[in-house]
Amino acid sequence: MKEISVQTRSRFEMIDITAEVQKAVSEDKIESGICLIYTPHTTAAVTINENADPDVSRDILAALDKAVPLNANYRHMEGNSAAHVKASLVGASELVIIEKGRIVLGTWQSIFFCEFDGPRSRKVFISIIAGISFC
Ligand code: ZN
């Protein structure tokens, strides 16, 4: 298992971690397999979406904020229930295919770490299973 450190700078933020994930895969010299990208936090998430237009990330964060408002008579004493709900909606992990040593993503796709209660120091774990061919 490998670990990526992510320092978030805002309360809500999506950070492209594709290059760091590819670096972890390249270090293992894996030809084919699968790669799990998992974040061990309850107010953060991992997702795959468009990298070309930064407004897509902004729109996703805005839509999540509209769907899950900061204040809505939540019971959780810590005061960050909206972040917990968003983390569960988006999910803690993504699974990607590795072929020819590269993670397989669409032209416009990137892997994003999603911060919902920053700024904080966060971790993402990478677990690679080698030798599974999808051809
Ligand atoms: Zn909490």
Side-chain angles (χ1 to χ4, degrees):
M1 186 176 82
K2 292 170 186 285
E3 186 178 317
I4 296 171
S5 296
V6 181
Q7 180 63 53
T8 63
R9 294 169 300 278
S10 308
R11 186 161 194 178
F12 315 122
E13 191 174 5
M14 286 173 69
I15 297 174
D16 188 338
I17 58 168
T18 310
E20 287 85 352
V21 175
Q22 180 59 56
K23 185 167 171 271
V25 170
S26 298
E27 282 169 4
D28 271 13
K29 301 186 181 357
I30 301 298
E31 183 65 18
S32 66
I34 56 173
C35 175
L36 175 71
I37 304 111
Y38 172 80
T39 191
H41 302 288
T42 60
T43 54
V46 174
T47 194
I48 295 174
N49 216 298
E50 180 173 328
N51 59 17
D53 181 1
D55 278 341
V56 173
S57 294
R58 291 188 196 110
D59 286 347
I60 290 170
L61 292 172
L64 283 168
D65 210 37
K66 195 172 178 188
V68 187
L70 266 181
N71 300 304
N73 291 323
Y74 301 114
R75 297 178 60 152
H76 177 47
M77 295 288 284
E78 199 187 2
N80 62 352
S81 278
H84 288 291
V85 173
K86 290 176 186 175
S88 274
L89 287 175
V90 177
S93 67
E94 287 285 358
L95 199 59
V96 294
I97 297 167
I98 303 166
E99 277 298 340
K100 298 185 176 121
R102 306 289 303 172
I103 50 176
V104 179
L105 291 170
T107 305
W108 308 114
Q109 285 183 317
S110 275
I111 303 163
F112 290 92
F113 176 84
C114 305
E115 175 63 80
F116 298 126
D117 194 26
R120 294 184 192 233
S121 294
R122 301 293 205 171
K123 291 181 219 169
V124 175
F125 296 142
I126 308 290
S127 184
I128 297 164
I129 301 171
I132 299 169
S133 179
F134 291 88
C135 298

